[in-house]
Amino acid sequence: MAWNEPLFNRAPRHPLSAPVELPDGQGRCRNISNSGMYFEVDEPLAPGALVNVSLVLNNLPTMPPVQLEAEGRVVRLDRLQGKIGVAIEFASLRFDTADTRAARRPD
């Protein structure tokens, strides 16, 4: 895998600007699809690494906000102006409503 390596068999992308929580910091989602997501960070992640991400999907028609928890493999890195673009391919996904997530939190 290399920087700016093209992806084939791409799923349709949906623009999304939302904060992304990572184990070692934060990023900003730029788009998402059924198979992965693209986000920006300050420091590069290792190509091929598995990374856990979490973000809240707001503004879903007729639904409360949904928490997305995912594990994905880093499949592409892009050098951007002052940031690093990271594309991940989802390995696993979990969705929770705000009520479900709050019920699981320890006191």
Side-chain angles (χ1 to χ4, degrees):
M1 159 158 40
W3 287 77
N4 298 320
E5 184 175 303
L7 295 177
F8 299 97
N9 300 323
R10 289 172 47 129
R13 302 316 193 230
H14 305 282
L16 175 66
S17 180
V20 175
E21 296 293 326
L22 299 149
D24 296 324
Q26 295 184 327
R28 185 120 198 118
C29 183
R30 292 302 174 203
N31 67 55
I32 193 164
S33 73
N34 291 339
S35 61
M37 66 184 287
Y38 185 79
F39 56 95
E40 296 174 354
V41 293
D42 292 326
E43 299 294 326
L45 301 175
L50 285 176
V51 62
N52 292 306
V53 296
S54 175
L55 70 144
V56 175
L57 302 173
N58 288 313
N59 304 323
L60 298 175
T62 69
M63 290 184 67
V66 173
Q67 181 79 30
L68 173 113
E69 304 278 340
E71 180 180 61
R73 183 168 308 280
V74 176
V75 295
R76 191 179 84 233
L77 298 169
D78 297 322
R79 288 186 180 97
L80 306 172
Q81 292 181 359
K83 298 282 184 185
I84 304 294
V86 179
I88 63 170
E89 179 180 36
F90 293 138
S92 66
L93 291 171
R94 186 177 74 230
F95 298 93
D96 287 327
T97 64
D99 292 339
T100 303
R101 188 165 174 78
R104 286 202 332 252
R105 283 193 197 136
D107 291 329

